[in-house]
Every structure is written in C-alpha cells, then in structure tokens.
Amino acid sequence: MNQIYLTVLLTLVGYISSYAQMHVSVGTFYGAYQMDDLKEFLNSNSTGNRHPDIKIASSFPHFCGTEAKLYFVFNRLSVGAQASLSSTGGNANFEDANTLFKYDIRIKHKVIGIGAEYVFNKNLQSPFHYLISVQAGYGYSLLNTEDKVKSSQFSPVVITNGKFKSDHFNIQPGIGVRWQYKYLFTTLLGSYFFDFQDSALERYDENGPQLYRRVEADWSGVRLSLSIGIKINEKKNL
C-alpha cells in the first residue's frame, strides 16, 4: 500500500513539475540575532564561578546562514516552500602553564515552512521586479556545549559535553528587488525574522548535563538575503 501511495505522489509531482511555472533558488543571508538570554547564560556559566581571569572571546555574533526556496508562480503571485539554516555561538577561556578553563557553545537553527511573494510590476518582462514577501514556518534549535577544565598542573583535562533542543515558530515579512535575465534571476531581500519559542532549551542527551536554569534561544532580528535562482516552465507572455 505504501508503494502505491509513493507511486501516486511521485506521478503527481512529476506532472506538476512538467506544467507548472516554478522558481527555484538558493542563497545566503546575514542575520542579526538577539540571543540576550544565551549571552547572559554564557557569562554566568563561565566567568561567574571559574577562574577570575576567564575572558569571553565571542558572544553569539551576527552571522551568515543559507536558504532554499521552491515557489509555484501564478502571474504576479508566487507560493511555495522554503528552508533555512542559521548558526552562531560563544566561548570563554583561560589557559596558563597549570590550568585550563574553556567553555564553548554552538547553536544551529533549522527551519522549514511556507512562503509567498507578490510582484508589484504589471509588466513582468521588465528586468527589475519590486516585491513583498512573507514566510512562516516551524524550526528547532540544536545547542551543543563543551566544557574543558584542568584544575592543576598534574590533573587531566576533564571534558563535559551537553546537547539541548528547543522548538520554534516564526514569521518573516520582507520587501525586496529582483533582477532577471532570461531564465535566471537574483533577489535582494530585506526582512525581519520574528521568532516565537514554543519551548525552552531541553536536554536530549540522557548522559549529558542539565541546564541549571531556563534558557531560550531567540533568533529574532533583521535579515538581509541574496539569492540566485532559475525559472522553470516560465511562459513567454508573463
């Protein structure tokens, strides 16, 4: 029975792909993440109860991510699916001849969802299009911690790793401009990513440590993206 469902699904996808107008694109974006809670957590978990000379080297800087979209085109309106991957992190450390203290946090955010774009231009043969977009989706954060401690000259380095996960919902409105040439196009889009945490970070490694307090990852912030794409089955009269 499952093979029948799969065959029907693949046949339907193949039929739609043969006749539907589509835009397929991949790109990168620069994200300004808030992460206030994680910054405070890094500070209190590293400098608060360790060696007095521990310094925070990096604290969740703004960083680049990747995205992909597959949209079905209906004249000036496009709707479809999108996915993205974001990452950032922080670390604090101190090392001398006898001791070592190092605390690293790395976090990724994976999102999958739906989206829509509307082109303002009435003449779709124009090389430049001005558009608005909105995306909504579900995502989850994966956070990994690594704690390295060597408390004296003759003691071994003790490494403790932790893995944590949280769920998110998001909405991302934006405005942009697109340049097209034949069946190729590139899009520059400015948007704001609203992140709504469905849960705090929770341990999913049974052997790992627990977080000593509630911690949330907040990916909200301004995003600037640049993507390149290809048109499939684009009609000449559009």
Side-chain angles (χ1 to χ4, degrees):
M1 185 63 70
N2 291 335
Q3 292 180 345
I4 295 176
Y5 290 147
L6 181 60
T7 301
V8 173
L9 178 61
L10 292 177
T11 301
L12 181 61
V13 171
Y15 177 82
I16 294 175
S17 301
S18 299
Y19 294 96
Q21 300 174 68
M22 293 186 293
H23 286 178
V24 180
S25 64
V26 294
T28 184
F29 62 85
Y30 182 79
Y33 318 128
Q34 292 190 10
M35 297 296 178
D36 294 337
D37 202 23
L38 276 173
K39 291 177 182 179
E40 182 182 344
F41 174 76
L42 172 65
N43 182 68
S44 61
N45 201 49
S46 55
T47 62
N49 55 0
R50 302 295 183 89
H51 196 282
D53 293 327
I54 289 180
K55 302 296 182 182
I56 294 179
S58 177
S59 184
F60 304 96
H62 304 161
F63 207 65
C64 293
T66 56
E67 62 182 12
K69 297 178 182 179
L70 190 157
Y71 280 11
F72 294 93
V73 182
F74 306 95
N75 201 1
R76 289 191 284 172
L77 176 66
S78 303
V79 295
Q82 52 86 21
S84 66
L85 173 64
S86 313
S87 64
T88 185
N91 65 81
N93 58 76
F94 171 77
E95 183 176 6
D96 60 16
N98 299 319
T99 58
L100 168 66
F101 298 93
K102 187 175 182 180
Y103 190 67
D104 284 319
I105 299 178
R106 295 290 178 265
I107 185 168
K108 295 181 179 180
H109 186 220
K110 299 180 180 181
V111 174
I112 186 169
I114 58 175
E117 295 178 347
Y118 183 80
V119 175
F120 290 110
N121 304 55
K122 293 184 178 180
N123 177 17
L124 296 184
Q125 290 298 310
S126 171
F128 288 97
H129 289 171
Y130 302 96
L131 58 92
I132 58 173
S133 76
V134 62
Q135 301 173 36
Y138 161 80
Y140 60 92
S141 293
L142 297 174
L143 183 144
N144 294 298
T145 63
E146 183 180 70
D147 194 4
K148 294 182 179 180
V149 177
K150 180 182 179 183
S151 56
S152 65
Q153 179 179 0
F154 301 104
S155 63
V157 176
V158 178
I159 301 176
T160 305
N161 295 303
K163 295 182 179 181
F164 308 88
K165 182 180 179 181
S166 62
D167 298 316
H168 304 251
F169 294 95
N170 65 80
I171 185 168
Q172 183 179 357
I175 187 168
V177 60
R178 173 175 295 147
W179 177 80
Q180 62 179 12
Y181 176 74
K182 294 185 178 179
Y183 293 101
L184 301 176
F185 64 89
T186 181
T187 305
L188 179 65
L189 185 70
S191 61
Y192 193 91
F193 190 91
F194 293 94
D195 183 20
F196 306 99
Q197 296 91 0
D198 187 51
S199 64
L201 287 160
E202 298 177 351
R203 181 180 68 173
Y204 72 95
D205 179 5
E206 295 182 356
N207 299 320
Q210 291 275 20
L211 294 175
Y212 68 88
R213 68 168 179 85
R214 179 183 175 90
V215 180
E216 295 183 351
D218 189 356
W219 297 93
S220 298
V222 175
R223 296 194 176 184
L224 183 64
S225 65
L226 180 65
S227 61
I228 58 173
I230 185 172
K231 304 175 185 179
I232 299 176
N233 299 327
E234 188 84 352
K235 291 183 178 179
K236 296 289 185 178
N237 59 346
L238 292 182

